[in-house]
Amino acid sequence: MSSKDASRRQAEADRLQQRADALKAKAERMGENASSLYGRFAGGQPLLVGHHSYRSARRAKNRADAASDRAIDAYKAAERAQAKAKWAKADADARTEIADTIATRSRPWEPADFQVGDIVTVRVFKTSTSTYRVKRVNKKTLTLDGGGGGWDDPKREYDRVLSRTRDGVTVTNPEDGAP
């Protein structure tokens, strides 16, 4: 991922956060408005069926109830927008971190950079990573110990490796850990 793509993703995350903040402010205004519509009933006066004020009181209560329902829907929309913004920020940060790690390399990883027993951190998907012990070094991939006795041992290409740890020393650039 390029720095241009990373900055675009960060900008998108910021835009989503601004939208979530705006929706939250709108929901709060709507909630205050709904509360003010219930002002007529603040003293606890019930609706008096048959009284001359019943029809207007019923309309006022229905308007207040509808405003409350709209405010609740707005709060839910604001919460969904906040969750989406939070996810976008985490996604952008993870992609940026992975891209920065890859960009600092002087050369790609090769089979000669690994030994059985090394601990490697590999990119599983675009934004997630996992750490494994190297079980076998192959020509194009690493066979990693999945912990299931062989049936779940994943294979990962060398371009997915982010770091290697050997004898307590972690390297992210293959040149730094050359034998």
Side-chain angles (χ1 to χ4, degrees):
M1 182 168 79
S2 67
S3 63
K4 181 179 177 182
D5 188 37
S7 63
R8 191 184 93 247
R9 286 187 183 278
Q10 290 289 351
E12 175 69 10
D14 292 342
R15 186 188 66 76
L16 288 172
Q17 184 61 50
Q18 289 172 354
R19 180 174 183 269
D21 293 342
L23 285 173
K24 184 178 179 185
K26 178 182 176 184
E28 289 172 356
R29 285 192 309 273
M30 291 175 79
E32 291 169 4
N33 181 44
S35 294
S36 70
L37 291 175
Y38 282 113
R40 178 175 181 173
F41 309 103
Q45 175 70 35
L47 299 178
L48 302 173
V49 178
H51 192 267
H52 69 87
S53 65
Y54 178 75
R55 284 179 31 193
S56 67
R58 171 56 59 195
R59 281 193 307 270
K61 184 169 182 332
N62 288 344
R63 277 194 300 271
D65 289 345
S68 291
D69 290 344
R70 287 190 302 271
I72 289 169
D73 290 343
Y75 275 112
K76 289 178 181 177
E79 287 175 353
R80 286 190 301 270
Q82 181 64 40
K84 188 174 181 178
K86 185 177 180 182
W87 182 89
K89 177 71 172 152
D91 180 68
D93 290 346
R95 286 176 183 256
T96 300
E97 183 179 340
I98 289 171
D100 290 346
T101 299
I102 292 170
T104 60
R105 292 188 193 148
S106 56
R107 66 173 176 84
W109 291 103
E110 299 171 348
D113 297 322
F114 299 96
Q115 297 175 359
V116 173
D118 287 346
I119 305 295
V120 294
T121 301
V122 295
R123 181 174 48 86
V124 181
F125 297 106
K126 294 203 181 282
T127 60
S128 63
T129 61
S130 292
T131 303
Y132 297 97
R133 183 174 305 278
V134 174
K135 193 171 185 179
R136 188 176 306 117
V137 179
N138 306 311
K139 184 177 179 182
K140 296 181 181 178
T141 63
L142 289 172
T143 302
L144 308 169
D145 189 0
W151 66 271
D152 68 341
D153 292 341
K155 289 187 176 185
R156 297 290 182 259
E157 295 82 13
Y158 291 106
D159 64 344
R160 289 181 167 260
V161 175
L162 298 175
S163 68
R164 179 202 72 206
T165 303
R166 182 184 298 157
D167 300 326
V169 178
T170 301
V171 293
T172 57
N173 185 359
E175 286 294 322
D176 297 342

Coordinates of all heavy atoms in Angstrom, one line a residue, residues 3 6 9 19 34 41 50 55 63 67 70 75 93 96-97 107-108 131 149 159 161 166 179:
S3 N 1.8 5.4 0.3 CA 1.5 6.4 1.3 C 0.3 7.2 0.8 O -0.5 7.7 1.6 CB 2.7 7.3 1.5 OG 3.0 8.0 0.3
A6 N -2.6 5.1 1.9 CA -2.7 5.2 3.3 C -3.3 6.6 3.8 O -4.2 6.6 4.6 CB -1.3 5.0 4.0
R9 N -7.0 6.5 3.0 CA -7.8 5.8 4.0 C -7.9 6.5 5.3 O -9.0 6.5 6.0 CB -7.1 4.4 4.2 CG -7.4 3.5 3.1 CD -6.8 2.1 3.4 NE -7.0 1.2 2.3 CZ -8.1 0.5 2.0 NH1 -9.2 0.7 2.7 NH2 -8.1 -0.3 1.0
R19 N -18.7 12.6 10.5 CA -20.1 12.3 10.2 C -20.8 11.8 11.5 O -21.9 12.1 11.9 CB -20.3 11.3 9.1 CG -21.7 11.0 8.8 CD -21.8 10.1 7.5 NE -23.2 9.8 7.2 CZ -23.9 8.8 7.7 NH1 -23.3 7.9 8.4 NH2 -25.1 8.6 7.3
A34 N -37.5 16.7 22.0 CA -38.6 15.8 22.5 C -38.9 16.0 24.0 O -40.0 16.0 24.4 CB -38.1 14.3 22.3
F41 N -46.7 18.1 30.3 CA -47.1 17.0 31.2 C -46.1 16.8 32.4 O -46.2 15.8 33.1 CB -47.1 15.7 30.4 CG -47.9 15.8 29.2 CD1 -47.3 15.9 27.9 CD2 -49.3 15.8 29.2 CE1 -48.1 16.0 26.8 CE2 -50.1 15.9 28.1 CZ -49.5 16.0 26.8
G50 N -62.9 13.4 28.1 CA -64.1 14.1 28.2 C -63.9 15.6 28.6 O -64.8 16.4 28.5
R55 N -58.4 16.7 23.6 CA -57.9 16.5 22.2 C -56.6 17.2 22.0 O -55.7 16.6 21.4 CB -59.0 17.1 21.2 CG -60.1 16.2 21.1 CD -61.2 16.7 20.2 NE -60.8 17.5 19.1 CZ -61.6 18.2 18.3 NH1 -62.9 18.2 18.6 NH2 -61.2 18.9 17.4
R63 N -47.3 14.0 19.5 CA -46.2 14.7 18.9 C -44.9 14.5 19.7 O -43.8 14.2 19.2 CB -46.4 16.3 18.8 CG -47.2 16.7 17.6 CD -47.2 18.2 17.4 NE -47.7 18.9 18.5 CZ -49.0 19.3 18.7 NH1 -49.9 18.9 17.8 NH2 -49.4 19.9 19.8
A67 N -41.6 12.5 18.4 CA -40.3 13.2 18.5 C -39.3 12.3 19.3 O -38.1 12.2 18.9 CB -40.4 14.6 19.1
R70 N -38.2 9.5 17.0 CA -37.2 10.0 16.0 C -35.8 10.2 16.7 O -34.8 9.9 16.1 CB -37.7 11.3 15.4 CG -38.8 11.0 14.4 CD -39.1 12.3 13.5 NE -39.5 13.4 14.3 CZ -40.7 13.7 14.7 NH1 -41.7 13.0 14.4 NH2 -40.9 14.8 15.4
Y75 N -30.2 8.5 17.7 CA -29.1 8.0 18.5 C -28.6 6.6 18.0 O -27.4 6.4 18.0 CB -29.6 7.8 20.0 CG -29.6 9.0 20.8 CD1 -30.8 9.6 21.2 CD2 -28.4 9.6 21.2 CE1 -30.7 10.8 22.0 CE2 -28.3 10.7 22.0 CZ -29.5 11.3 22.4 OH -29.5 12.4 23.1
D93 N -5.2 2.4 10.3 CA -4.0 2.3 11.1 C -3.2 1.0 10.8 O -2.0 1.0 10.7 CB -4.3 2.4 12.6 CG -4.7 3.8 12.9 OD1 -4.5 4.8 12.1 OD2 -5.3 4.0 14.0
T96 N -1.7 1.0 7.4 CA -0.5 1.9 7.3 C 0.7 1.3 8.0 O 1.8 1.4 7.5 CB -0.9 3.2 8.0 OG1 -2.0 3.8 7.3 CG2 0.3 4.2 8.0
E97 N 0.5 0.6 9.2 CA 1.6 0.0 9.9 C 2.2 -1.1 9.0 O 3.4 -1.2 8.9 CB 1.1 -0.6 11.2 CG 2.2 -1.2 12.0 CD 1.6 -1.7 13.4 OE1 0.5 -1.3 13.8 OE2 2.3 -2.6 13.9
R107 N 15.2 -5.4 0.7 CA 15.0 -6.5 -0.3 C 13.9 -7.4 0.3 O 13.6 -7.4 1.4 CB 16.3 -7.3 -0.5 CG 16.8 -8.1 0.7 CD 17.9 -9.0 0.3 NE 18.5 -9.6 1.5 CZ 18.0 -10.8 2.0 NH1 16.9 -11.3 1.5 NH2 18.5 -11.3 3.1
P108 N 13.3 -8.2 -0.6 CA 12.3 -9.2 -0.1 C 12.9 -10.3 0.7 O 14.1 -10.6 0.6 CB 11.6 -9.7 -1.4 CG 12.5 -9.3 -2.5 CD 13.4 -8.3 -2.1
T131 N 1.2 -14.8 14.5 CA 2.6 -15.2 14.8 C 2.6 -16.7 14.9 O 1.8 -17.4 15.5 CB 3.0 -14.6 16.1 OG1 2.9 -13.2 16.0 CG2 4.5 -14.9 16.4
G149 N -1.0 -30.4 15.2 CA -0.4 -31.7 14.8 C -0.3 -32.0 13.4 O -0.2 -33.1 12.9
D159 N 6.3 -13.0 0.7 CA 5.9 -11.6 0.7 C 4.9 -11.2 1.8 O 4.7 -10.1 2.1 CB 5.4 -11.2 -0.7 CG 4.1 -11.9 -1.0 OD1 3.8 -12.9 -0.4 OD2 3.4 -11.4 -2.0
V161 N 5.5 -12.2 5.0 CA 6.2 -12.2 6.3 C 6.5 -10.7 6.6 O 7.0 -9.9 5.8 CB 7.5 -13.0 6.2 CG1 8.4 -12.8 7.4 CG2 7.2 -14.4 5.9
R166 N 14.6 -14.6 15.9 CA 15.5 -15.8 16.2 C 16.4 -15.4 17.3 O 17.0 -14.3 17.4 CB 16.4 -16.0 14.9 CG 17.3 -17.2 15.0 CD 18.2 -17.4 13.8 NE 17.4 -17.6 12.6 CZ 17.8 -17.4 11.4 NH1 19.0 -16.8 11.2 NH2 17.0 -17.6 10.4
P179 N 22.5 -14.0 7.7 CA 23.4 -14.9 8.4 C 24.9 -14.6 8.1 O 25.2 -14.0 7.1 CB 23.0 -16.3 8.0 CG 22.1 -16.1 6.8 CD 21.7 -14.7 6.7

